[in-house]
Amino acid sequence: MTKRVAILGSTGSVGRQTLSVIADNPDRLSVCALGCRNRVDDMMSEAVRFGVKNMVCPNMQQVDGFNCFTGEHAMRDYAAYGDYDVLVVSVVGIAGLAPTLAAIQRGKTVCLANKETLVCGGPLVCDALATAGGQFFPIDSEHSAIMQCISASPAQDVKRIILTASGGALRDMPLADLSYAVKEDVLRHPNWSMGDKITVDCATMVNKGFEVIEAHYLFAKAWDDIDILLHRQSIVHSMVQFADNSVMAQMAVPDMRLPIQYALLGAKRAPSMVAELDLTLQPLTFEQVDIARYPALEVVLQAARRSSAQCVAVNAADEVAVDAFLQGHIEYGRIHTILRQTTEHFDGEIRDYLDVTRIDREARRLAKEGIC
Ligand code: MG
């Protein structure tokens, strides 16, 4: 029996790599549904290629010969009522939260590649997991690494989580030039090939701030017990320090198909397409993060410590600010100012999904005001 996998966000970078992992594991995995927001033609060709009959998309019409979930809440409805074993949530943005909650509330297994779900809805996801008992596997190289490191240890033995960060495309740009970095520089990530939004988030290290928030909820660690180390080579994907000060690291060539496969197989190992690691090719280095270079990271880490409402706000502000930067409306150096000014308007803890959507909307409005 193969595990039947539904992929919400099948046309993006993680979605496409998930399809290739499934194709490479025909005895273990099969795909039962595809979902996307906008690239309907791409999803249709994936459906034909993989012989998938179920398609999920808010912006599509019914298609003969297919079973289509459509309308505004298509993804949430599929997660709540669809027939699948594992739900991969790799859509972009806050759209990932509702289907994740719906799947967990049914006690289903979710493989999560969507940052916003835990950044904005971490407390809600943890509550749902505690009551419904679904399973949860991260599709992110860092959190997969941590999960691999701690798999054999009881939680109380884990003293510290050390997230590694490449430092992004601007890690060596002179500080004085940083504010005026142009799009082409920012999008030139040294180690990973990803979408534009997340590549900008790597340059600002907002992405790493979001990963701290995710780690806090995924592994129930206090903010003070989660550190970040600059690791230029992206070979050590993260580390865990134990009670006895032993440190375990997970290493591999930077290739998302490894964390994807590990998550899809439910934290089990199998041969993979990922290349072997040759540790003689380059030295591995670790440095402290220079916070002066990453003021937006500081905003995210402060928001995390202050309140879950600020986490929602900083995520919304970042989407607006990064989009404005990519469109050429603001300079790189203004991203962190917009994040700070927007986030300051919010306080308190989120209680339910409506709180999240309300703060998200309000923060977007304030961030856009800040840009004009
Ligand atoms: Mg990551």
Side-chain angles (χ1 to χ4, degrees):
M1 267 291 270
T2 60
K3 275 192 209 176
R4 293 160 308 149
V5 182
I7 311 170
L8 301 182
S10 67
T11 57
S13 167
V14 168
R16 293 195 309 269
Q17 293 182 81
T18 301
L19 282 169
S20 90
V21 168
I22 293 171
D24 195 46
N25 285 278
D27 308 338
R28 299 179 178 88
L29 302 167
S30 62
V31 51
C32 64
L34 299 168
C36 76
R37 284 193 73 78
N38 299 312
R39 286 184 236 163
V40 178
D41 291 347
D42 291 354
M43 180 176 65
M44 288 282 294
S45 28
E46 290 174 347
V48 171
R49 189 149 51 91
F50 284 84
V52 178
K53 290 284 171 240
N54 297 306
M55 289 193 289
V56 187
C57 178
N59 311 309
M60 80 183 292
Q61 310 294 325
Q62 293 295 331
V63 182
D64 280 349
F66 290 92
N67 184 19
C68 301
F69 287 71
T70 62
E72 194 190 344
H73 302 297
M75 295 205 177
R76 187 196 66 191
D77 292 346
Y78 181 78
Y81 306 110
D83 188 18
Y84 58 87
D85 298 316
V86 176
L87 186 71
V88 173
V89 180
S90 51
V91 284
V92 180
I94 202 160
L97 179 56
T100 302
L101 288 172
I104 297 173
Q105 280 155 1
R106 289 173 75 189
K108 291 278 188 184
T109 298
V110 175
C111 296
L112 185 72
N114 167 277
K115 299 249 137 140
E116 292 79 4
T117 294
L118 284 171
V119 170
C120 300
L124 309 181
V125 172
C126 288
D127 283 354
L129 275 171
T131 46
Q135 278 194 299
F136 209 64
F137 298 98
I139 296 183
D140 197 346
S141 58
E142 291 80 359
H143 304 95
S144 177
I146 296 160
M147 191 169 246
Q148 293 178 54
C149 290
I150 65 175
S151 61
S153 302
Q156 70 266 24
D157 288 351
V158 177
K159 183 167 156 187
R160 183 174 298 280
I161 285 171
I162 303 159
L163 293 168
T164 50
S166 71
L170 307 178
R171 62 192 183 187
D172 293 317
M173 180 174 268
L175 268 185
D177 301 340
L178 212 53
S179 290
Y180 309 102
V182 295
K183 190 169 143 182
E184 289 66 34
D185 296 329
V186 176
L187 291 182
R188 212 176 288 126
H189 194 284
N191 305 333
W192 295 96
S193 151
M194 301 174 290
D196 284 359
K197 160 74 166 51
I198 189 167
T199 306
V200 178
D201 284 343
C202 285
T204 59
M205 275 183 70
V206 160
N207 180 56
K208 206 53 56 178
F210 288 166
E211 289 180 354
V212 168
I213 300 174
E214 293 179 284
H216 168 79
Y217 290 116
L218 277 169
F219 305 109
K221 278 284 140 215
W223 302 114
D224 282 342
D225 297 337
I226 307 171
D227 286 344
I228 304 170
L229 267 189
L230 195 74
H231 169 53
R232 292 168 174 265
Q233 298 80 24
S234 297
I235 296 293
V236 171
H237 296 301
S238 277
M239 298 178 257
V240 171
Q241 183 181 355
F242 294 95
D244 56 4
N245 290 338
S246 174
V247 174
M248 278 180 76
Q250 185 263 341
M251 293 187 268
V253 293
D255 186 327
M256 280 307 289
R257 291 174 301 182
L258 184 54
I260 290 169
Q261 177 173 299
Y262 189 75
L264 291 179
L265 296 181
K268 295 207 171 49
R269 299 198 186 277
S272 84
M273 292 176 283
V274 176
E276 283 186 24
L277 176 62
D278 182 351
L279 280 169
T280 64
L281 290 179
Q282 55 185 339
L284 301 181
T285 59
F286 302 93
E287 305 157 55
Q288 286 299 336
V289 176
D290 175 12
I291 204 76
R293 180 175 289 281
Y294 303 103
L297 169 64
E298 202 180 10
V299 180
V300 177
L301 294 177
Q302 281 173 355
R305 283 164 182 268
R306 282 181 186 149
S307 77
S308 51
Q310 286 210 349
C311 292
V312 181
V314 79
N315 171 74
D318 184 59
E319 263 184 46
V320 172
V322 169
D323 186 55
F325 169 71
L326 288 170
Q327 307 272 341
H329 299 320
I330 60 166
E331 275 164 352
Y332 180 80
R334 276 195 65 206
I335 295 177
H336 73 93
T337 326
I338 291 160
L339 265 56
R340 192 180 303 279
Q341 287 168 351
T342 308
T343 307
E344 275 167 359
H345 288 90
F346 297 88
D347 204 1
E349 304 303 327
I350 55 158
R351 287 153 305 170
D352 53 26
Y353 180 75
L354 286 179
D355 268 353
V356 176
T357 51
R358 179 181 53 77
I359 295 166
D360 179 71
R361 247 193 332 268
E362 179 66 4
R364 276 168 205 278
R365 187 183 66 72
L366 288 164
K368 279 178 189 151
E369 266 177 32
I371 285 165
C372 298

